[in-house]
């Protein structure tokens, strides 16, 4: 009989120990995530009285898969549509918390006499709370569906997005560059570009594919298809410079808008629980008692910094975003830990050779301790609020409940202009992203193929014509969409002074459409600039005049909206939700 691979033995040990410990924690009415961390310490090399895991590298790979599936489940349970409904509140809270916690981390690092680069990277690590740990804690404690939990998850998702920008800034600082340079702007634009592209294309295609294959899909095949899409988006995400977990979350948020979302959540739950357990056990394996003793003072200081900083500054961040004091305290107390993105930032600093070797293990230990304390911090929020309410004057409580940066909605003509400009801007941006993506695909894949099959210049001419035809519905939508909206008509008829700026909005969008056609013709043909401008203008005019393009554009947009609302429509049909 062949020997059993070490990974199987390790997995058996992890699951058996984790099972025993979690049963004990369940009996003691403690969160399961703490049991997983304790189980990780028991099977680690730092525990001399029990057998240690042999193949730690493979366990780490499985743990990364666990993070991916946890974020995929988070996306299924909490889509981008929910974030958009919350408005600017999560953005205000996320930016204020990141700025305050990063500043606090830099100050603490300087107090210990660490190098400047160690302090800067430490600030970045303390600024990022753990989406995975908080999601699991909310799940274990039955708080996932509460309103404050939704706000926390919105802020955490935005933090994960901003973490990518922060890493670009830290890389620029470490290389002696300027963090306010064009590299940072390009990074932000790249994030926004791919988020819009993935979401729009995903919402359009994936529900369509699932509907067409519904009669061939049962529970087993739906699970395989869902996990396959999750892993595919994780791969695509890493290829363009993001994390695999971020890609998994995006795919989860896309599938969350499909009719099959509830079924997918139930099917994925056991897989998420298995790999999630391995992830939290791997976190517990990082606890080193020797390191705890050697760096006890800095570790204790950092743990207190995170707990007190998030409890106070995090609460203030949520207060100014428009939350009540009670809700803000529950949100701020919930975020009192650091996690996976802190490890990534620490790894970045080590790979660049700009931070000390001690910082990574210190941050890992701090992460484990704060993870262990997370459920207790969540539970402590309400008693802390009640104590504050008893001790603080009532007028102060009232002022804090109304402390917000949100501005009241504008009225009258200003409101119409604001609404119209926002709608035009969003419409133009989305269709510009789609046009850029389609053009890039044609130039990258179709053009080389055409040049191998057809002689020049016919290959380039064919590619130019097909590319313009492909993006023509998008270009027409850029120019014509919202020109017949209620706001546009009202502004046009109310005041003659409104007409020049309204015409200007049309001209700006016309120039954007012309720029696309001009670029394609200029890239693939040898015509002079004047002729190219004439051809581009003629092509855009034909697009505007074409009724078939208009019908196609409307049909595509209606299909997208129907896919986006398919889950809500099904809930209304079955009587689970009132119609809009």
């Amino acid at each position: 009989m062949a020997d059993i691979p070490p990974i199987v033995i390790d997995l058996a040990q992890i699951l058996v120990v984790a099972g025993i410990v979690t049963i004990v924690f369940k009996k003691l009415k403690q969160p399961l995530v703490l049991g997983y961390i304790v189980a990780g310490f028991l099977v680690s090399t730092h525990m001399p009285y029990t057998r240690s895991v042999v193949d730690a590298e493979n366990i780490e790979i499985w743990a990364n898969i666990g993070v991916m599936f946890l974020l995929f489940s988070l996306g299924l349970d909490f889509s981008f549509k929910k974030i958009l409904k919350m408005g600017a509140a999560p953005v205000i809270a996320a930016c204020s918390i990141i700025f305050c916690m990063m500043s606090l981390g830099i100050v603490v690092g300087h107090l210990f006499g660490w190098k400047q680069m160690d302090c800067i990277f430490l600030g970045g690590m303390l600024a990022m709370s753990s989406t995975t740990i908080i999601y699991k804690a909310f799940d274990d404690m039955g708080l996932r569906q509460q309103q404050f939990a939704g706000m926390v998850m919105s802020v955490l998702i935005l933090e994960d997005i901003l973490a990518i920008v922060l890493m670009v800034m830290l890389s620029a600082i470490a290389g002696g560059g300027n963090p306010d340079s064009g590299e940072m702007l390009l990074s932000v634009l790249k994030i926004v570009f791919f988020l819009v592209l993935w979401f729009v294309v995903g919402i359009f295609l994936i529900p369509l594919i699932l509907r067409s294959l519904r009669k061939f899909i049962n529970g087993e095949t739906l699970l395989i298809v869902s996990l396959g899409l999750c892993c595919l988006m994780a791969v695509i995400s890493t290829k363009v410079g993001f994390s695999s977990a971020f890609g998994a979350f995006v795919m989860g948020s896309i599938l969350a808008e499909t009719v099959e979302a509830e079924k997918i959540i139930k099917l994925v739950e056991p897989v998420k629980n298995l790999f999630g357990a391995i992830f939290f056990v791997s976190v517990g394996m990082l606890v080193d008692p020797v390191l705890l003793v050697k760096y006890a003072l800095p570790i204790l200081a950092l743990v207190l910094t995170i707990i007190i900083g998030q409890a106070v500054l995090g609460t203030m961040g949520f207060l100014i975003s428009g939350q009540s004091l009670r809700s803000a305290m529950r949100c701020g107390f919930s975020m009192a830990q650091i996690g996976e993105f802190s490890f990534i930032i620490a790894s970045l600093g080590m790979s660049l050779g700009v931070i000390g070797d001690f910082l990574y293990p210190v941050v890992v230990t701090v992460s484990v301790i704060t993870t262990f304390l997370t459920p207790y911090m969540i539970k402590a929020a309400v008693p802390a609020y009640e104590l504050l309410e008893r001790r603080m004057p009532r007028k102060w409580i009232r002022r804090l409940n109304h402390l917000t940066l949100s501005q009241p909605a504008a009225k009258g003509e200003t409101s119409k202009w604001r609404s119209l400009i926002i709608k035009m801007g969003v419409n133009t941006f989305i269709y510009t992203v789609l046009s850029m993506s389609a053009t890039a695909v044609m130039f990258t894949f179709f053009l080389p193929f055409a040049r191998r099959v057809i002689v020049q210049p016919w290959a380039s001419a064919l590619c130019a014509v097909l590319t313009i035809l492909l993006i023509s519905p998008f270009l027409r939508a850029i120019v014509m969409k919202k020109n017949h909206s209620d706001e546009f008509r009202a502004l046009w008829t109310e005041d003659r002074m409104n007409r020049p700026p309204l015409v200007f909005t049309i001209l700006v969008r016309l120039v954007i459409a012309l720029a696309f056609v001009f670029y394609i013709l200029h890239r693939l043909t040898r015509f002079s600039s004047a002729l190219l401008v004439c051809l581009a203008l003629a092509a855009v005019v034909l697009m505007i005049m074409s009724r078939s393009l208009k019908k196609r554009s409307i049909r595509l947009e209606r299909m997208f909206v129907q896919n986006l609302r398919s889950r809500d429509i099904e809930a209304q049909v079955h009587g689970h939700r009132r119609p809009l």
Side-chain angles (χ1 to χ4, degrees):
M1 183 177 175
D3 292 336
I4 299 176
I7 183 65
V8 177
I9 300 173
D10 290 342
L11 185 60
Q13 182 184 1
I14 285 173
L15 294 180
V16 169
V17 174
I20 295 170
V21 175
T22 49
I23 288 171
V24 173
F25 271 67
K26 192 75 174 177
K27 189 175 180 62
L28 296 173
K29 297 182 179 180
Q30 299 301 315
L32 296 183
V33 65
L34 305 183
Y36 291 135
I37 293 172
V38 172
F41 174 70
L42 293 176
V43 301
S44 69
T45 54
H46 308 302
M47 183 65 177
Y49 306 108
T50 58
R51 182 191 177 278
S52 304
V53 167
V54 177
D55 199 349
E57 290 184 4
N58 275 325
I59 297 299
E60 187 177 348
I61 294 171
W62 286 44
N64 291 333
I65 297 173
V67 174
M68 194 170 69
F69 286 152
L70 280 167
L71 268 293
F72 178 60
S73 297
L74 171 61
L76 284 169
D77 201 46
F78 195 88
S79 65
F80 277 114
K81 211 161 61 170
K82 292 184 181 178
I83 301 178
L84 294 176
K85 286 179 182 177
M86 291 184 178
V91 179
I92 295 170
C95 292
S96 58
I97 290 170
I98 288 176
F99 175 77
C100 292
M101 290 303 297
M102 190 167 182
S103 302
L104 195 59
I106 292 172
V107 170
V108 171
H110 278 299
L111 290 176
F112 282 105
W114 294 345
K115 295 178 182 178
Q116 184 176 7
M117 205 58 68
D118 289 330
C119 297
I120 293 173
F121 271 80
L122 177 65
M125 296 172 210
L126 298 194
M128 296 297 152
S129 298
S130 173
T131 307
T132 309
I133 291 165
I134 296 175
Y135 175 71
K136 180 65 176 173
F138 282 159
D139 199 16
D140 289 347
M141 300 171 74
L143 301 173
R144 208 172 67 189
Q145 302 302 325
Q146 293 201 15
Q147 187 176 358
F148 89 94
M151 183 64 180
V152 171
M153 298 316 299
S154 298
V155 171
L156 289 169
I157 291 159
L158 290 172
E159 278 192 356
D160 290 348
I161 296 171
L162 292 172
I164 301 166
V165 182
L166 180 61
M167 289 171 67
V168 173
M169 292 178 62
L170 293 174
S171 298
I173 294 171
N178 183 6
D180 298 322
S181 62
E183 187 181 1
M184 180 183 167
L185 179 61
L186 285 174
S187 176
V188 175
L189 291 175
K190 182 180 175 183
I191 293 169
V192 175
F193 177 87
F194 280 108
L195 271 178
V196 171
L197 176 63
W198 289 339
F199 191 70
V200 172
V201 174
I203 290 294
F204 186 82
L205 289 179
I206 290 175
L208 196 66
I209 294 169
L210 291 177
R211 275 200 302 270
S212 62
L213 300 175
R214 185 171 294 168
K215 60 182 179 181
F216 304 109
I217 292 181
N218 57 17
E220 182 180 352
T221 52
L222 183 59
L223 173 63
I224 299 303
V225 169
S226 303
L227 295 182
L229 290 171
C230 167
C231 295
L232 175 64
M233 184 57 80
V235 171
I236 294 172
S237 179
T238 53
K239 292 293 183 184
V240 297
F242 305 144
S243 69
S244 59
F246 183 67
F249 170 78
V250 170
M251 181 50 68
S253 67
I254 292 170
L255 289 174
E257 308 303 340
T258 64
V259 176
E260 290 81 6
E262 296 291 341
K263 193 183 294 184
I264 294 171
I265 290 171
K266 292 177 182 176
L267 291 170
V268 171
E269 188 81 13
V271 180
K272 177 201 77 173
N273 290 339
L274 171 63
F275 285 97
I278 296 173
F279 165 70
F280 288 108
V281 168
S282 70
V283 172
M285 289 169 61
L286 297 172
V287 178
D288 187 354
V290 176
L291 190 71
L292 284 170
V293 174
K294 186 176 181 181
Y295 288 97
L297 185 59
I299 289 170
L300 178 62
L302 292 175
V303 168
L304 292 175
T305 300
I306 293 167
I307 291 174
I308 298 173
Q310 286 287 6
V312 177
L313 301 176
T315 297
M316 289 302 298
F318 283 101
L319 271 175
I320 63 175
S321 72
Q323 303 298 304
S324 65
L325 179 59
R326 181 188 178 94
S327 178
M329 288 184 70
R330 296 188 78 181
C331 293
F333 277 59
S334 300
M335 296 182 65
Q337 79 295 114
I338 57 175
E340 52 278 358
F341 261 108
S342 301
F343 302 159
I344 295 171
I345 292 172
S347 300
L348 174 67
M350 292 187 69
S351 64
L352 295 172
V354 294
I355 64 173
D357 295 335
F358 70 94
L359 197 54
Y360 184 90
V362 165
V363 167
V364 167
T365 306
V366 170
S367 172
V368 172
I369 296 171
T370 53
T371 298
F372 195 89
L373 296 174
T374 295
Y376 301 107
M377 288 294 294
I378 296 173
K379 290 178 181 178
V382 174
Y385 168 76
E386 292 172 351
L387 177 64
L388 197 64
E389 191 179 32
R390 287 196 301 269
R391 298 294 179 88
M392 189 178 284
R394 288 184 178 274
K395 62 179 181 179
W396 289 16
I397 297 288
R398 285 196 298 270
R399 286 176 182 174
L400 288 173
N401 282 327
H402 293 89
L403 180 66
T404 176
L405 295 181
S406 303
Q407 298 296 324
K411 296 181 179 179
E413 188 174 307
T414 306
S415 176
K416 291 174 187 172
W417 270 112
R418 183 170 175 268
S419 175
L420 180 64
I421 295 301
I422 289 174
K423 288 178 180 178
M424 281 184 174
V426 170
N427 177 79
T428 302
F429 180 73
I430 290 174
Y431 282 112
T432 299
V433 168
L434 292 174
S435 301
M436 291 171 63
S437 305
T439 305
V441 168
M442 291 296 288
F443 284 5
T444 305
F445 299 105
F446 181 80
L447 183 59
F449 170 76
R451 285 175 175 171
R452 287 196 300 269
V453 177
I454 307 171
V455 295
Q456 283 283 52
W458 298 108
S460 297
L462 177 64
C463 183
V465 171
L466 291 179
T467 304
I468 292 172
L469 288 175
L470 181 63
I471 67 173
S472 56
F474 307 145
L475 298 185
R476 190 190 185 285
I478 289 173
V479 179
M480 299 301 293
K481 193 74 175 170
K482 305 303 176 187
N483 291 348
H484 300 287
S485 64
D486 295 338
E487 295 91 345
F488 193 99
R489 288 175 176 176
L491 290 168
W492 184 272
T493 55
E494 283 174 2
D495 191 349
R496 288 180 178 271
M497 295 300 293
N498 288 335
R499 295 181 181 181
L502 288 172
V503 172
F504 179 73
T505 62
I506 298 174
L507 291 175
V508 169
R509 290 175 287 144
L510 180 64
V511 169
I512 293 172
L514 286 171
F516 271 102
V517 180
F518 181 86
Y519 171 76
I520 293 167
L521 294 174
H522 179 72
R523 174 84 181 269
L524 299 176
T525 65
R526 298 178 181 178
F527 298 136
S528 64
S529 296
L531 185 57
L532 286 176
V533 171
C534 294
L535 288 173
L537 186 59
V540 173
V541 169
L542 287 174
M543 291 175 196
I544 294 171
M545 300 295 291
S546 173
R547 297 183 80 65
S548 63
L549 269 184
K550 179 181 179 180
K551 290 178 181 177
R552 218 162 103 205
S553 176
I554 292 172
R555 190 167 64 249
L556 289 172
E557 190 161 323
R558 282 179 178 170
M559 192 179 295
F560 174 81
V561 173
Q562 183 181 351
N563 289 343
L564 186 63
R565 294 195 58 241
S566 59
R567 194 173 174 186
D568 296 334
I569 292 169
E570 189 200 31
Q572 291 168 17
V573 169
H574 289 89
H576 302 312
R577 185 176 299 177
R578 293 177 61 186
L580 297 174

